[in-house]
Amino acid sequence: MSALLEVRELTASYGSSQALFGVDLSVGAGEVVALMGRNGMGKTTTVRCICRMMTSSRGAITFAGKSLNDLPSHKAARLGIGLVPEGRRCFAPLSVEENLVCAARPGAWTLEAVGALFPRLSERRSQAARTLSGGEQQMLAIARALMINPKLLILDEATEGLAPVIRQEIWRAIGELKQSGLAILIIDKSLKDLKALCDRFVILERGKSEWTGGAGALSEEICDRYLGV
Ligand code: ATP
């Protein structure tokens, strides 16, 4: 059976500056895959290409059997790719509920369901997004991506810069999403949390996939060589 997401020989540039030199990765249905690599190795650029926010890319990106290569980003989202972008970007003047409702597509993820996943959001339903704490905004960004009822959720640094207690709450929620059978592609710096969660790891080095394997195969030597930890 083919994977839900397949990326093959992906290259991409910012103007004349090439950032990706051959990224290969796949995410199967229900699989949780970590995309790793040191700063500037191309993780966010890979995500931008998958979500069709960068159209300069070459190579093959297929999702649920369909080529994404020529699709605009809103159509990629409609096929079932939910993105939680780096920097959490919510609509600041809109309320929590408005942020969620404007993303909604039919499916199991409703206002009530995301409220059960993140009770703090239910409590702040009518508050403007800009009045939320950083952690609550991150929860809102995850909830909003879920409201499109994605087949694949992509999380780019979803725990970055948050207090430990909030980070724990977000890891708990991501664990629940995995249990529900959602496929996830995740970028994060916490190796410990990723090892506890992920089925497979893909490591980028200078814009290229250099290593892939399961948590058990992610040895100290590999971490030292590619991640500097
Ligand atoms: P980080 O962990 O720091 O977010 P990353 O692995 O996500 O890093 P990218 O942000 O994808 O890496 O960056 C890959 C390369 O592309 C880097 O050399 C970076 O400087 C460059 N780059 C990223 N965004 C842009 C941009 N908007 N314009 C020009 N170059 C960019």
Side-chain angles (χ1 to χ4, degrees):
M1 207 180 81
S2 65
L4 180 61
L5 174 72
E6 284 270 2
V7 175
R8 290 286 160 254
E9 296 178 19
L10 183 67
T11 61
S13 304
Y14 293 97
S16 59
S17 166
Q18 190 166 350
L20 301 184
F21 294 84
V23 174
D24 294 291
L25 68 87
S26 64
V27 183
E31 197 180 22
V32 181
V33 176
L35 183 59
M36 306 194 73
R38 281 185 283 247
N39 288 350
M41 291 301 165
K43 304 177 296 293
T44 295
T45 304
T46 300
V47 165
R48 286 187 189 134
C49 291
I50 293 169
C51 298
R52 307 315 299 145
M53 293 151 76
M54 245 179 105
T55 48
S56 68
S57 64
R58 289 175 185 272
I61 308 174
T62 51
F63 181 72
K66 290 197 178 69
S67 170
L68 296 188
N69 287 49
D70 299 319
L71 288 189
S73 59
H74 69 277
K75 290 218 172 129
R78 228 177 267 165
L79 284 179
I81 301 180
L83 172 65
V84 181
E86 201 177 17
R88 42 189 104 109
R89 291 181 219 128
C90 304
F91 297 117
L94 299 189
S95 70
V96 166
E97 185 164 329
E98 286 163 343
N99 264 279
L100 294 171
V101 168
C102 71
R105 295 182 56 78
W109 288 107
T110 57
L111 272 181
E112 289 65 35
V114 296
L117 186 67
F118 293 120
R120 279 162 184 264
L121 291 183
S122 288
E123 291 159 19
R124 287 160 178 68
R125 228 165 146 148
S126 54
Q127 257 177 253
R130 69 165 172 271
T131 67
L132 301 180
S133 70
E136 289 160 356
Q137 285 187 22
Q138 188 63 72
M139 290 171 199
L140 179 56
I142 296 172
R144 204 175 57 176
L146 290 171
M147 289 293 283
I148 75 155
N149 277 287
K151 296 189 184 85
L152 171 71
L153 183 69
I154 302 182
L155 297 152
D156 191 352
E157 304 272 15
T159 67
E160 181 81 2
L162 301 178
V165 60
I166 302 290
R167 285 221 297 267
Q168 256 176 24
E169 200 169 331
I170 289 180
W171 284 113
R172 185 261 318 146
I174 298 171
E176 284 182 29
L177 296 176
K178 176 183 177 164
Q179 290 302 320
S180 78
L182 186 61
I184 301 175
L185 178 65
I186 180 167
I187 299 172
D188 201 276
K189 292 200 172 66
S190 173
L191 191 55
K192 177 174 152 275
D193 289 297
L194 289 175
K195 275 185 157 178
L197 177 84
C198 297
D199 301 307
R200 218 150 45 71
F201 293 76
V202 176
I203 300 181
L204 301 187
E205 175 92 336
R206 294 196 187 87
K208 209 169 183 305
S209 302
E210 284 293 344
W211 187 89
T212 183
L218 193 63
S219 63
E220 269 182 38
E221 193 236 321
I222 299 283
C223 292
D224 186 49
R225 187 185 326 159
Y226 295 115
L227 308 174
V229 291

